[in-house]
Amino acid sequence: MTLRVSVVGASGYVGGELLRLLLWHPEVAVIQATSGRNAGRYLHQVHPNLRGRSKVQFVHPDRLEPCDLLFLALPHGEAAQAIERYAGLAPRLIDCSADFRLRDPALYARWYREEHPAPAWLDRFVYGLPEVSREALRGVNYASGVGCNATATNLALLPLVQAGLVDEQRPVIVEIKVGSSEGGATSSDSSHHPERAGAVRSFAPVGHRHTAEVEMITGLTNVHLSVTSVELVRGALATAHVFANRPVTEKDLWQAYRAFAATQPFVRIVKERQGIYRYPEPKILAGSNFADLGFTLDEATGRIVSICALDNLMKGAAGSAVQCMNLMAGFAEAEGLDFPGLHPI
Amino acid sequence: MTLRVSVVGASGYVGGELLRLLLWHPEVAVIQATSGRNAGRYLHQVHPNLRGRSKVQFVHPDRLEPCDLLFLALPHGEAAQAIERYAGLAPRLIDCSADFRLRDPALYARWYREEHPAPAWLDRFVYGLPEVSREALRGVNYASGVGCNATATNLALLPLVQAGLVDEQRPVIVEIKVGSSEGGATSSDSSHHPERAGAVRSFAPVGHRHTAEVEMITGLTNVHLSVTSVELVRGALATAHVFANRPVTEKDLWQAYRAFAATQPFVRIVKERQGIYRYPEPKILAGSNFADLGFTLDEATGRIVSICALDNLMKGAAGSAVQCMNLMAGFAEAEGLDFPGLHPI
Amino acid sequence: MTLRVSVVGASGYVGGELLRLLLWHPEVAVIQATSGRNAGRYLHQVHPNLRGRSKVQFVHPDRLEPCDLLFLALPHGEAAQAIERYAGLAPRLIDCSADFRLRDPALYARWYREEHPAPAWLDRFVYGLPEVSREALRGVNYASGVGCNATATNLALLPLVQAGLVDEQRPVIVEIKVGSSEGGATSSDSSHHPERAGAVRSFAPVGHRHTAEVEMITGLTNVHLSVTSVELVRGALATAHVFANRPVTEKDLWQAYRAFAATQPFVRIVKERQGIYRYPEPKILAGSNFADLGFTLDEATGRIVSICALDNLMKGAAGSAVQCMNLMAGFAEAEGLDFPGLHPI
Amino acid sequence: MTLRVSVVGASGYVGGELLRLLLWHPEVAVIQATSGRNAGRYLHQVHPNLRGRSKVQFVHPDRLEPCDLLFLALPHGEAAQAIERYAGLAPRLIDCSADFRLRDPALYARWYREEHPAPAWLDRFVYGLPEVSREALRGVNYASGVGCNATATNLALLPLVQAGLVDEQRPVIVEIKVGSSEGGATSSDSSHHPERAGAVRSFAPVGHRHTAEVEMITGLTNVHLSVTSVELVRGALATAHVFANRPVTEKDLWQAYRAFAATQPFVRIVKERQGIYRYPEPKILAGSNFADLGFTLDEATGRIVSICALDNLMKGAAGSAVQCMNLMAGFAEAEGLDFPGLHPI
């Protein structure tokens, strides 16, 4: 039976990507898409790639009606403020914001510098990254989204964490290179094309909020994030520098990464001896739900460089959210997520 | 019953795009992919977006075996040189090169400056653009490919040609802005990133060979092409300047474009009064098979500007070829071609 | 004796480029730079390339003081509204806007759709393109700026016009590819990086206002402009399609272009038989005051393609304005304008 | 008296940048420019930005004649192989390659995996970064060049090293984001535009040879480099993660950076509380000789992020080399190096 879903905050980039995935999903019907600013316009007037696919028009959020599952793709804080209302409209919620990612209200308060508006709800949400909470997501009603940079970092670190290889006495430095779509659909001076084009901008050299999610998921407390914006629209590449807690070989690392990737339909190991694409490359993942993992070892120093590439709007947001929906609703986990990315692009 | 297909010249960009489409096509099995230089390597070692999808390895062209349908994606001239061999290996051929696009050997000789090596074969091929030869393609055995720039131009002009609006006494100037993938997968000084990045390069201000295809398809002899390379990997935008042969209104033009697009599953009219995407934009078509058409009218002078955007590797090459296959084999015309493109990108 | 100059509207891109040129100009001292929004900030806080060069802070426009020469780099209409005030503050004015480019108030009204606010002033301004009005500019007090796209078009057409080669019975189609800095320093939805990056956007396929300047300078009434935005920050390339009014050879064209360029310090002919840079390329002109001209001839049809590349902020705006200043003040014409552009870039 | 200089290896990108600087340098005359492949061509046929400036043609390296100072801009190893010949042709040499940067032949052998071909010469060269060896360079005859990535790293680290703030017990991780011009002027599969455009490519996550220069200049042995190629032609941004060896405040850091920058004409501190350019940005440095330094402090963890932006062809190669020449020949140190970079770009 077709799942009737609606997308709240559908004019943003995550909202648009959800619509792209859901409109082609064989088990789903898109009932409503809300946008305060674009109410009355057709979906393709905001997301031009959807032209010709749907007669749905944006509706004002006040006119949201009951359905089977609600995707919330709202600015920070808005989902938490109105969570009771949304929960009254649908038995299942997937919230793509940061509002329900953390289990601990104190952690939220520390990184977001305000009290959580609905702390009682935090425990009801499962963290929406199937790579870490697949079984918990099956059949559950509430799932959070994931942070794009947190996800790139977590997936780069988890193979090493799960293999028990991380030296926690030495710092783990993670440099994340990101595209402009991470900043959302609203224009600003910093996104003005003549300024942003070709930039290599130190966006968050310290203090990135996604650190909270990384600590929660990896259990590590020695992770230091640094985010640099580069010329790219979609995509993120996390380069994690980890020191091993004992002598390791490339073979040990292959074992660790293979163990992690084995059961993950959207995780691939990319490590080639030659060619142009020896390591994960975000540009070929645009539109795909894959997270590509690669690694290398500096034998002289024991430094492991672990690399994760993904599309921030897909595996880092809407793709993972749809994957969660598939698990929650009992669909095939990869349903509607089979676009492989383009080459060249 | 599954159609068993092989791709000859599969390491190029058109070959790679064919593989991407065919590996996900529900009616098709990819049997072989040839590459002299990459024989023995896995497909994803050349086309990294195919990683994890197929165990097929490139084979040397000499080892090509019989199958149901052969796609030829070879450099100029190679398909014609060996057409008898290929026709002996498969009952159906789709050739993506320019070798069998023109019906008239004299036209070929004029634009390609050599005699056609297999003129007897020219008549056996149907021109592979379903928008102009859909019925002829149904069930046929041999289809040519299409020129990417010719297709952008033809689709920009055909609505006006079919409506009888083109003044043939005045020149039709067509400026085509193209991405770097049109140059193929082989590197050269002119494709070296520091030189090609950000370029606005007058690639073929006069003398573009695709003029032959435009004359053949539109029947016009007053078309002047000019091709400029811009910063883009995939995509082409043709801007055609046409003078009307009688006073016209925007309404007349809407009628002409609607009449043309009505029966075409992959042609959309893009003409908005506001917003960022008022006219066709190639960037949002990357990976999609759509050709978007738009137009505007300078009422004071009777100049019509007709605009076509497409992905040169899709509607301009592999996408149209798969669409041809669908028609030739009796599949649903749009099968395997439903990727809508991305926004933002 | 040092010329004391001020820049009004100095926080915009033309204003910033004027500051860059003037701060390094050996005959000039920059006295004031106005900006309503940035009053009190240092120049480098808006134009980061000026860091370390000047202690000047932006002042509010109301605090503008008398000086020897005022550059006006204001939004459309503002210079004309307050021209009496500015003329009272400095004996010499160079206005970079479109306000005083046209001599004929009726032409202004037709293209700008409003009456000119100070028609009596139109005759006092000399059109600020030294390539067409060098002698008139020497010692004069008031010069207009030039339109960037108009200048690329005019310089592409003038060699043919001056040689009497243009067929005025057939249309002259000019396709101009432009970078994002032409839109100015104010951000908007259409300049938002995820939307603007990689775009090939039909910005003004018909109705471009610079047509007025082209008609005024070339004397032609059959010119049709079309402007397409491409991925580029600085730079414009005009591709003009002109039909000759009599049989011509490449040699005739060389003669025409050489005659035009001979006396112009900032016009170069770019026409090579081989290499990557066979025709004018805007990317290597970033920051330079050169306008590069190239051409080719389609002998079969008599179509001449004339190509002009320039930096829209330099030869298309601030560079020409400083060149005007040099002529007005009796300095060496090329003073302060010797940056040759970069390769690679 | 004019210094007569020649450039060996003048068709590469560093060679071209040297020519750009030297042709406009008031104290210098360019006598010869060698290129095996381009002998007989004019400079502008390889470096199009030099059009109109010089009548010099490339000569074959065998025809190199004596002059006052030779710039060597050759591929790795070639200068060392023929150093006796070059030293016989000019009393002064500036070698831009890595051949004479290291003082210790063992260090060379370790990182370049071969014995140095002319170890006796190593001691005669002064390391060509005026920021570290200004006094030694004055009047000397032989100077090495600098590694672009090494320079970005060294300048990011030196303020902290000189202030004695680096904890040598914890690793220093340096992530360097680089443009495509670092790969030189020779095209390859990896520089092919459709592959390189928009890439975020893990070029050298471990094992970067410039580590040797960093160890030599900073004296640190705990530095780990990682180089990622991004969409950019010119420019490099080094992001260094350093842990302080004692509690520090932002004020301490300001003091350290100011102390370092105070005497350096081409080092600027970039650290703003607001605006788009709060940290160093390589794109606005294209063509300039500045190295911009910025920093921030994560007070909770004692992590200092030190950031250096520069143009790899200028401060990272040709610019520093010309600065060396100025010091060696007794010219003003900044002569010929005053281009400030562009905004926007």
Side-chain angles (χ1 to χ4, degrees):
Chain A
M1 216 181 73
T2 300
L3 190 76
R4 300 168 70 256
V5 307
S6 294
V7 178
V8 180
S11 62
Y13 287 155
V14 173
E17 196 68 348
L18 286 169
L19 290 172
R20 176 177 74 83
L21 297 171
L22 296 168
L23 285 168
W24 273 261
H25 194 294
E27 311 274 7
V28 160
V30 174
I31 305 305
Q32 288 187 303
T34 77
S35 169
R37 187 176 156 197
N38 294 291
R41 304 184 76 193
Y42 287 103
L43 299 184
H44 72 254
Q45 291 181 299
V46 172
H47 304 298
N49 57 329
L50 304 182
R51 181 180 293 273
R53 182 66 183 186
S54 165
K55 301 277 189 202
V56 169
Q57 290 166 288
F58 289 102
V59 298
H60 193 277
D62 292 347
R63 294 185 45 204
L64 189 63
E65 292 168 9
C67 65
D68 296 337
L69 189 153
L70 267 186
F71 285 94
L72 306 177
L74 291 162
H76 172 64
E78 293 192 12
Q81 292 291 350
I83 189 65
E84 299 285 353
R85 177 184 171 225
Y86 295 123
L89 285 167
R92 286 179 175 145
L93 298 179
I94 298 177
D95 175 44
C96 294
S97 80
D99 291 8
F100 298 103
R101 292 180 198 157
L102 305 179
R103 287 298 77 73
D104 178 358
L107 193 60
Y108 182 93
R110 176 151 69 91
W111 285 96
Y112 293 90
R113 297 183 183 197
E114 56 184 6
E115 293 304 308
H116 194 282
W121 279 86
L122 289 176
D123 268 344
R124 303 181 200 167
F125 278 79
V126 174
Y127 188 73
L129 189 65
E131 285 74 12
V132 303
S133 44
R134 177 171 292 108
E135 295 315 313
L137 286 162
R138 289 193 205 281
V140 82
N141 286 331
Y142 302 133
S144 78
V146 293
C148 44
N149 297 332
T151 298
T153 302
N154 284 330
L155 294 175
L157 295 178
L158 282 171
L160 301 170
V161 170
Q162 294 185 358
L165 291 172
V166 180
D167 179 357
E168 301 194 34
Q169 305 307 309
R170 282 184 283 181
V172 170
I173 303 286
V174 187
E175 255 275 339
I176 311 164
K177 278 71 66 180
V178 305
S180 61
S181 65
E182 287 206 353
T186 304
S187 61
S188 69
D189 284 356
S190 70
S191 75
H192 189 46
H193 182 273
E195 309 296 342
R196 181 61 179 79
V200 187
R201 187 182 291 169
S202 301
F203 169 69
V206 301
H208 191 47
R209 288 172 167 184
H210 287 191
T211 309
E213 269 173 86
V214 172
E215 294 189 354
M216 181 177 83
I217 297 301
T218 64
L220 299 171
T221 57
N222 58 333
V223 180
H224 303 263
L225 301 190
S226 168
V227 181
T228 307
S229 305
V230 300
E231 176 59 46
L232 191 72
V233 172
R234 277 185 188 234
L237 186 86
T239 308
H241 302 266
V242 178
F243 290 86
N245 56 9
R246 53 186 170 84
V248 291
T249 63
E250 283 241 330
K251 199 175 154 192
D252 298 328
L253 296 176
W254 269 111
Q255 208 163 18
Y257 283 78
R258 281 201 179 113
F260 179 74
T263 57
Q264 305 293 358
F266 290 109
V267 173
R268 302 185 294 195
I269 302 177
V270 177
K271 183 171 169 57
E272 301 280 339
R273 285 175 203 280
Q274 55 178 332
I276 304 171
Y277 296 92
R278 293 179 298 134
Y279 293 107
E281 168 59 67
K283 81 167 185 157
I284 62 154
L285 298 177
S288 106
N289 197 43
F290 286 112
D292 282 350
L293 300 187
F295 61 88
T296 190
L297 172 65
D298 184 355
E299 292 192 354
T301 64
R303 176 173 53 122
I304 302 161
V305 183
S306 184
I307 298 167
C308 177
L310 51 72
D311 177 340
N312 53 297
L313 295 177
M314 285 294 297
K315 174 47 74 190
S320 283
V322 168
Q323 199 179 344
C324 286
M325 176 195 76
N326 288 340
L327 290 163
M328 290 160 69
F331 305 146
E333 184 175 345
E335 192 72 82
L337 296 168
D338 66 345
F339 178 65
L342 297 171
H343 172 257
I345 185 170
Chain B
M1 216 180 75
T2 299
L3 191 77
R4 300 168 70 257
V5 306
S6 294
V7 178
V8 180
S11 63
Y13 287 155
V14 173
E17 196 68 349
L18 285 168
L19 290 172
R20 175 177 74 83
L21 296 172
L22 296 168
L23 285 168
W24 273 261
H25 195 293
E27 312 273 8
V28 160
V30 174
I31 305 306
Q32 289 188 303
T34 79
S35 168
R37 184 177 159 198
N38 294 291
R41 304 183 75 194
Y42 288 101
L43 299 185
H44 74 254
Q45 292 180 299
V46 172
H47 304 298
N49 57 330
L50 305 181
R51 180 180 294 272
R53 181 68 184 186
S54 165
K55 301 279 189 199
V56 169
Q57 290 166 289
F58 289 102
V59 298
H60 193 278
D62 293 347
R63 296 184 44 205
L64 190 63
E65 293 168 9
C67 65
D68 298 334
L69 187 153
L70 266 186
F71 285 94
L72 306 176
L74 292 162
H76 173 64
E78 294 191 13
Q81 292 290 353
I83 189 64
E84 299 284 356
R85 176 183 173 230
Y86 295 122
L89 285 167
R92 286 180 175 142
L93 298 178
I94 299 177
D95 174 44
C96 294
S97 81
D99 291 8
F100 298 103
R101 293 181 197 156
L102 305 178
R103 290 295 78 76
D104 178 359
L107 192 61
Y108 183 92
R110 175 151 70 91
W111 285 95
Y112 293 90
R113 296 181 184 202
E114 57 184 4
E115 292 303 307
H116 193 282
W121 280 84
L122 288 176
D123 268 344
R124 303 182 200 168
F125 277 78
V126 174
Y127 187 74
L129 189 65
E131 285 73 12
V132 303
S133 45
R134 178 169 292 110
E135 295 315 315
L137 286 163
R138 290 191 203 281
V140 82
N141 285 331
Y142 301 134
S144 77
V146 293
C148 45
N149 297 333
T151 299
T153 302
N154 284 330
L155 294 177
L157 295 178
L158 282 171
L160 300 170
V161 169
Q162 294 185 358
L165 291 173
V166 180
D167 179 357
E168 301 194 34
Q169 305 307 310
R170 282 183 284 181
V172 170
I173 303 286
V174 186
E175 256 274 338
I176 311 165
K177 278 71 66 179
V178 305
S180 60
S181 65
E182 287 206 353
T186 305
S187 61
S188 70
D189 285 356
S190 70
S191 76
H192 189 46
H193 182 273
E195 309 296 342
R196 181 63 178 77
V200 187
R201 189 182 290 168
S202 302
F203 170 69
V206 303
H208 191 47
R209 288 171 166 184
H210 287 190
T211 310
E213 270 173 87
V214 172
E215 293 189 354
M216 181 178 82
I217 297 301
T218 65
L220 298 172
T221 57
N222 58 333
V223 180
H224 303 264
L225 301 190
S226 168
V227 181
T228 306
S229 304
V230 299
E231 175 59 45
L232 191 71
V233 172
R234 277 185 187 234
L237 185 86
T239 308
H241 301 265
V242 179
F243 289 85
N245 56 9
R246 54 185 168 85
V248 290
T249 63
E250 283 241 330
K251 200 175 152 190
D252 298 327
L253 297 176
W254 269 110
Q255 208 163 18
Y257 283 79
R258 282 203 179 111
F260 179 74
T263 58
Q264 305 293 356
F266 290 109
V267 173
R268 301 184 296 195
I269 303 177
V270 177
K271 183 171 169 59
E272 301 281 339
R273 285 176 203 280
Q274 56 177 330
I276 304 171
Y277 297 93
R278 293 180 297 136
Y279 293 107
E281 167 58 67
K283 82 167 185 157
I284 62 155
L285 297 177
S288 105
N289 197 43
F290 286 111
D292 282 349
L293 300 187
F295 60 88
T296 191
L297 172 66
D298 184 355
E299 292 193 353
T301 65
R303 177 173 53 121
I304 301 161
V305 183
S306 184
I307 299 167
C308 177
L310 50 73
D311 177 341
N312 54 298
L313 295 177
M314 285 293 300
K315 173 49 71 189
S320 284
V322 169
Q323 198 179 346
C324 286
M325 176 194 77
N326 287 340
L327 290 163
M328 290 160 69
F331 304 147
E333 184 174 344
E335 193 72 83
L337 295 167
D338 65 345
F339 179 65
L342 297 172
H343 172 256
I345 186 169
Chain C
M1 218 181 70
T2 299
L3 191 76
R4 301 168 71 256
V5 307
S6 294
V7 178
V8 180
S11 62
Y13 287 155
V14 173
E17 196 69 349
L18 285 169
L19 290 171
R20 175 177 74 84
L21 297 171
L22 296 168
L23 285 168
W24 274 260
H25 194 294
E27 311 274 7
V28 160
V30 174
I31 304 306
Q32 289 187 302
T34 78
S35 168
R37 185 176 157 197
N38 295 291
R41 304 183 74 192
Y42 288 103
L43 299 184
H44 73 254
Q45 292 180 299
V46 172
H47 305 297
N49 57 329
L50 305 182
R51 181 181 295 271
R53 182 66 184 186
S54 166
K55 301 278 189 201
V56 169
Q57 289 166 290
F58 289 101
V59 297
H60 193 278
D62 292 347
R63 296 184 43 205
L64 190 63
E65 292 168 8
C67 65
D68 297 336
L69 189 153
L70 266 186
F71 286 94
L72 306 177
L74 292 162
H76 172 65
E78 295 191 12
Q81 293 290 351
I83 189 65
E84 299 285 354
R85 176 183 172 228
Y86 294 122
L89 285 167
R92 286 180 174 142
L93 299 177
I94 299 177
D95 174 44
C96 295
S97 80
D99 290 9
F100 298 102
R101 292 181 198 156
L102 305 179
R103 288 296 79 74
D104 179 357
L107 192 61
Y108 183 93
R110 175 150 71 90
W111 286 96
Y112 293 89
R113 298 186 182 196
E114 56 184 5
E115 292 304 306
H116 194 282
W121 279 86
L122 289 176
D123 268 344
R124 302 181 200 168
F125 277 79
V126 174
Y127 187 74
L129 189 65
E131 285 73 12
V132 303
S133 44
R134 176 170 293 110
E135 295 315 314
L137 286 162
R138 291 192 203 280
V140 81
N141 286 329
Y142 302 133
S144 78
V146 293
C148 44
N149 297 332
T151 299
T153 302
N154 284 330
L155 294 176
L157 296 178
L158 281 171
L160 301 170
V161 169
Q162 293 185 358
L165 291 172
V166 180
D167 179 357
E168 300 193 34
Q169 305 306 310
R170 281 183 284 182
V172 170
I173 303 286
V174 187
E175 255 272 342
I176 312 165
K177 278 72 65 179
V178 304
S180 61
S181 65
E182 286 206 353
T186 304
S187 61
S188 69
D189 285 356
S190 69
S191 76
H192 189 48
H193 183 273
E195 310 295 342
R196 182 61 180 80
V200 187
R201 188 182 291 168
S202 302
F203 169 69
V206 302
H208 191 45
R209 289 172 167 183
H210 288 190
T211 309
E213 269 173 86
V214 172
E215 294 188 354
M216 182 179 80
I217 296 300
T218 65
L220 298 172
T221 56
N222 58 334
V223 180
H224 304 263
L225 301 190
S226 167
V227 181
T228 307
S229 305
V230 300
E231 176 59 45
L232 192 70
V233 171
R234 276 184 188 235
L237 186 86
T239 308
H241 301 266
V242 179
F243 289 86
N245 57 9
R246 53 187 170 84
V248 290
T249 63
E250 283 241 331
K251 199 175 155 192
D252 298 328
L253 296 176
W254 270 111
Q255 208 163 17
Y257 283 77
R258 282 200 179 113
F260 179 74
T263 57
Q264 305 292 357
F266 291 110
V267 173
R268 303 185 294 195
I269 303 177
V270 177
K271 182 171 169 60
E272 300 281 338
R273 286 176 201 280
Q274 54 178 332
I276 304 172
Y277 297 91
R278 293 180 295 135
Y279 293 107
E281 167 59 67
K283 79 167 186 156
I284 62 154
L285 298 177
S288 105
N289 198 43
F290 286 111
D292 282 351
L293 300 187
F295 61 88
T296 190
L297 173 66
D298 184 355
E299 292 194 353
T301 64
R303 176 172 54 123
I304 302 162
V305 183
S306 185
I307 299 167
C308 177
L310 50 74
D311 177 340
N312 54 298
L313 295 178
M314 285 294 298
K315 174 47 72 191
S320 283
V322 168
Q323 198 178 344
C324 286
M325 176 195 76
N326 288 340
L327 290 163
M328 290 160 69
F331 305 146
E333 183 174 345
E335 193 73 81
L337 296 167
D338 65 345
F339 179 66
L342 297 171
H343 172 255
I345 186 169
Chain D
M1 217 181 73
T2 299
L3 191 77
R4 301 169 69 257
V5 306
S6 294
V7 178
V8 180
S11 63
Y13 288 154
V14 173
E17 196 69 347
L18 285 169
L19 291 172
R20 175 176 75 85
L21 296 172
L22 296 167
L23 285 169
W24 273 261
H25 194 293
E27 312 273 8
V28 160
V30 174
I31 305 305
Q32 288 188 303
T34 78
S35 169
R37 184 177 160 199
N38 295 291
R41 304 183 75 193
Y42 287 102
L43 300 184
H44 74 255
Q45 292 180 300
V46 172
H47 304 298
N49 57 329
L50 305 182
R51 182 181 293 272
R53 181 67 185 186
S54 165
K55 300 278 189 201
V56 168
Q57 290 166 289
F58 289 101
V59 298
H60 193 277
D62 292 347
R63 296 185 42 207
L64 189 63
E65 293 168 8
C67 64
D68 297 335
L69 188 153
L70 266 186
F71 285 95
L72 306 176
L74 292 162
H76 173 64
E78 294 191 13
Q81 293 290 351
I83 188 65
E84 299 284 355
R85 177 184 172 228
Y86 294 122
L89 285 167
R92 286 182 175 141
L93 299 178
I94 299 176
D95 174 45
C96 295
S97 81
D99 290 9
F100 298 103
R101 293 181 197 157
L102 305 178
R103 290 293 79 74
D104 178 359
L107 192 62
Y108 183 92
R110 176 150 69 91
W111 284 96
Y112 293 90
R113 297 183 183 199
E114 56 184 4
E115 293 304 307
H116 194 281
W121 280 85
L122 289 177
D123 268 344
R124 302 181 201 169
F125 277 79
V126 174
Y127 187 73
L129 189 64
E131 284 74 11
V132 303
S133 45
R134 177 170 293 109
E135 295 315 313
L137 286 162
R138 290 192 203 281
V140 82
N141 285 331
Y142 302 133
S144 77
V146 292
C148 45
N149 297 333
T151 299
T153 302
N154 285 330
L155 294 176
L157 296 177
L158 283 171
L160 301 170
V161 170
Q162 294 185 357
L165 290 173
V166 179
D167 179 358
E168 302 195 33
Q169 305 307 308
R170 282 184 282 181
V172 170
I173 303 286
V174 187
E175 257 271 344
I176 311 165
K177 278 71 65 180
V178 305
S180 61
S181 65
E182 286 206 354
T186 304
S187 61
S188 71
D189 285 356
S190 70
S191 76
H192 188 47
H193 183 273
E195 309 296 344
R196 181 62 178 79
V200 187
R201 187 182 291 168
S202 302
F203 169 70
V206 302
H208 190 48
R209 289 171 167 185
H210 287 191
T211 309
E213 268 173 87
V214 173
E215 293 189 354
M216 182 178 81
I217 297 300
T218 65
L220 298 172
T221 58
N222 58 332
V223 180
H224 303 264
L225 300 190
S226 168
V227 181
T228 306
S229 305
V230 299
E231 175 60 44
L232 191 71
V233 172
R234 276 183 189 237
L237 185 86
T239 308
H241 301 266
V242 178
F243 289 85
N245 57 8
R246 53 186 168 84
V248 291
T249 63
E250 284 241 329
K251 200 175 153 191
D252 298 328
L253 297 176
W254 270 111
Q255 208 163 15
Y257 282 79
R258 281 201 180 113
F260 178 74
T263 57
Q264 306 292 357
F266 291 110
V267 173
R268 301 184 294 195
I269 303 176
V270 177
K271 182 172 170 59
E272 300 281 339
R273 285 176 202 280
Q274 56 177 329
I276 304 172
Y277 297 92
R278 293 180 296 135
Y279 293 107
E281 168 59 67
K283 80 167 186 156
I284 63 156
L285 298 176
S288 106
N289 197 44
F290 286 111
D292 282 349
L293 300 187
F295 60 89
T296 191
L297 172 66
D298 184 354
E299 292 192 354
T301 65
R303 176 172 53 120
I304 302 162
V305 183
S306 185
I307 298 167
C308 177
L310 51 71
D311 177 340
N312 54 298
L313 296 177
M314 286 293 299
K315 174 46 73 189
S320 283
V322 168
Q323 198 179 346
C324 285
M325 177 194 76
N326 288 339
L327 290 163
M328 291 160 69
F331 305 146
E333 183 175 345
E335 193 71 84
L337 296 167
D338 66 344
F339 178 65
L342 297 171
H343 172 256
I345 185 168

